[in-house]
Amino acid sequence: MAAGQIGDLAHLVETAQGALSRREGAIVQKPTGAQVAYPIEVGGQLQGLVIVEVRGQSGTALTRALRRLHWGVGWLETLFRRRE
């Protein structure tokens, strides 16, 4: 599947549910790489969840993805705070 296309996302559900139930980020290692989920919470209210799949086994790729995800979620939290 090419980047930007959405297919069957059922394989992400378990990771997403874990992050949502604990209301904290989750990293789940899979044979093909890692799944990273991060809930977006503002003022004690859950606003959404970001989940990405990092393919490959490179620790560098995972570290880079976590850094980008952290900054992106921070930007979304700021956007939600402005709308309050």
Side-chain angles (χ1 to χ4, degrees), residues 32-77:
T32 58
Q35 295 174 354
V36 182
Y38 199 93
I40 302 169
E41 193 171 349
V42 177
Q45 294 288 330
L46 186 64
Q47 301 294 324
L49 175 90
V50 176
I51 187 165
V52 295
E53 197 166 27
V54 181
R55 301 272 170 108
Q57 299 297 326
S58 167
T60 303
L62 181 57
T63 300
R64 199 172 338 160
L66 289 172
R67 186 177 306 121
R68 289 177 180 166
L69 181 60
H70 176 77
W71 281 102
V73 167
W75 183 86
L76 289 171
E77 288 173 348

